[in-house]
Amino acid sequence: MRRPPRAPAVRRFAKSAGPYAYIAPFFTLFAAFGLFPLVYTAFVSLYRVELQTPGQMEWRGFGNYAALFTDEFFWLSLRNTFTIGVLSTVPQLVMALGLAHLLNYKLRGRTFFRTAMLLPYATSVAAATLVFAQLFGRDFGLINYVLRLVGFGPVDWQTGTVASQIAVSTIVIWRWTGYNALIYLAGMQSIPTELYEAAEMDGASRWRQFLHVTLPGLRPTIVFTAVVSTIGATQLFGEPLLFEGSVSGGISHQYQTLGLYMYEQGWGFFHLGRAAAIAWVMFLLIVVLVGANALVARRRLRKEAGR
């Protein structure tokens, strides 16, 4: 009996396996540089590992995590991360939304302004932070000079707790506002113009159109930027490190974030096991915050769909 040709079967297999071959490079790189470091960091966090002797590992179980939760500087860095995150994220997204709304109109030189929005984001974090450190100088900084002109005394931006956190947050706001504004602008341009025309025919003002047309249409984009900004705030490292050049985040750790605390434990005190535990705490914190954000957004969508 004659067997049927195998070519159709081979062709079907190649057709079904083709998409997986296209995405295989991404998942290979992700497994090598994303998944493996994540799993290995969790493994290291269960051992006492010192930077000088990384080959000597002593089993501690959850001892590194227990040591973290009894360390006052861990809780201080966690609180600083939350405070700086709120001070930088909320004004940043509000200002980005306002700038995007202005750029969405037919203005002269729109291309120039849109390009200028990306200049802070394209600037090196080291260069930007060093410039802002000079601006916030106590004796010769431009910010204190302006405050003196309007009758206020000089502010010690690098020593005061609230002042230093505001200064670090200002750097973050300056770098990321334009980036988020362009994301919002792209979202605004995807909203159908018919909705604005219908609202204008109903007599809605520009403010009413913004509230009832623009914001509902931008809700997925706002959720996305909120999630990304939350992740960035949790991982904040460069700006507080370079603001004064210290991993301790000031004299009294007043603006030390979790990223600085992890760096100090791993490369300052040489406790790699504890640094790995901090990294995993940061990862779990990001998962919780992003999950809470998504849950709130989903409940709001269900509530609006049920109306």
Side-chain angles (χ1 to χ4, degrees):
M1 186 175 179
R2 193 175 179 181
R3 293 183 177 180
R6 299 181 58 186
V10 174
R11 211 176 292 122
R12 285 196 301 270
F13 174 77
K15 187 176 180 180
S16 60
Y20 297 99
Y22 284 114
I23 63 175
F26 165 78
F27 283 102
T28 302
L29 292 174
F30 173 74
F33 300 103
L35 187 60
F36 173 74
L38 185 66
V39 175
Y40 187 71
T41 302
F43 172 76
V44 172
S45 69
L46 302 177
Y47 289 83
R48 183 195 302 275
V49 187
E50 301 299 322
L51 185 62
Q52 305 94 324
T53 56
Q56 301 177 11
M57 304 176 68
E58 178 186 344
W59 172 258
R60 289 201 67 189
F62 292 101
N64 286 325
Y65 295 93
L68 282 184
F69 297 142
T70 56
D71 186 1
E72 62 174 330
F73 291 116
F74 167 75
W75 296 106
L76 180 60
S77 63
L78 180 63
R79 186 178 64 193
N80 292 339
T81 301
F82 175 78
T83 305
I84 296 175
V86 172
L87 288 174
S88 60
T89 300
V90 176
Q92 172 194 147
L93 297 183
V94 172
M95 291 171 60
L97 192 59
L99 289 173
H101 185 60
L102 291 176
L103 290 176
N104 197 33
Y105 290 116
K106 295 181 179 180
L107 301 175
R108 290 184 179 179
R110 283 187 303 172
T111 305
F112 168 77
F113 289 115
R114 292 175 184 179
T115 306
M117 286 289 181
L118 278 179
L119 290 180
Y121 172 70
T123 305
S124 167
V125 61
T129 306
L130 291 176
V131 170
F132 271 91
Q134 297 298 319
L135 293 176
F136 284 105
R138 184 185 63 180
D139 298 322
F140 304 103
L142 180 61
I143 306 298
N144 277 342
Y145 174 75
V146 174
L147 290 177
R148 290 191 190 99
L149 290 179
V150 295
F152 292 97
V155 178
D156 194 346
W157 296 101
Q158 293 184 338
T159 303
T161 300
V162 177
S164 60
Q165 291 181 1
I166 291 176
V168 173
S169 302
T170 303
I171 307 172
V172 180
I173 293 171
W174 181 82
R175 290 195 68 234
W176 291 98
T177 298
Y179 175 82
N180 287 311
L182 291 183
I183 293 178
Y184 287 147
L185 180 61
M188 289 178 182
Q189 292 181 344
S190 66
I191 300 175
T193 56
E194 293 83 2
L195 297 178
Y196 291 102
E197 293 173 357
E200 190 173 357
M201 290 179 62
D202 290 339
S205 62
R206 290 285 179 89
W207 175 246
R208 290 288 182 180
Q209 292 177 30
F210 178 75
L211 288 180
H212 299 289
V213 178
T214 304
L215 285 184
L218 277 182
R219 186 166 291 119
T221 308
I222 293 174
V223 172
F224 169 76
T225 54
V227 169
V228 173
S229 299
T230 301
I231 295 174
T234 307
Q235 297 176 334
L236 192 63
F237 177 76
E239 289 85 349
L241 173 65
L242 297 172
F243 182 63
E244 194 185 14
S246 171
V247 295
S248 61
I251 298 176
S252 57
H253 299 253
Q254 68 268 18
Y255 60 90
Q256 185 182 49
T257 60
L258 284 174
L260 282 182
Y261 180 69
M262 178 182 66
Y263 187 87
E264 182 183 45
Q265 291 295 321
W267 281 264
F269 301 146
F270 311 123
H271 303 321
L272 292 184
R274 186 173 295 187
I278 299 169
W280 255 86
V281 169
M282 292 173 62
F283 171 73
L284 295 177
L285 180 63
I286 290 173
V287 170
V288 170
L289 292 175
V290 172
N293 225 328
L295 183 62
V296 170
R298 185 177 301 177
R299 285 186 175 179
R300 183 156 189 171
L301 287 175
R302 288 180 178 175
K303 185 178 180 180
E304 291 182 354
R307 289 180 180 177

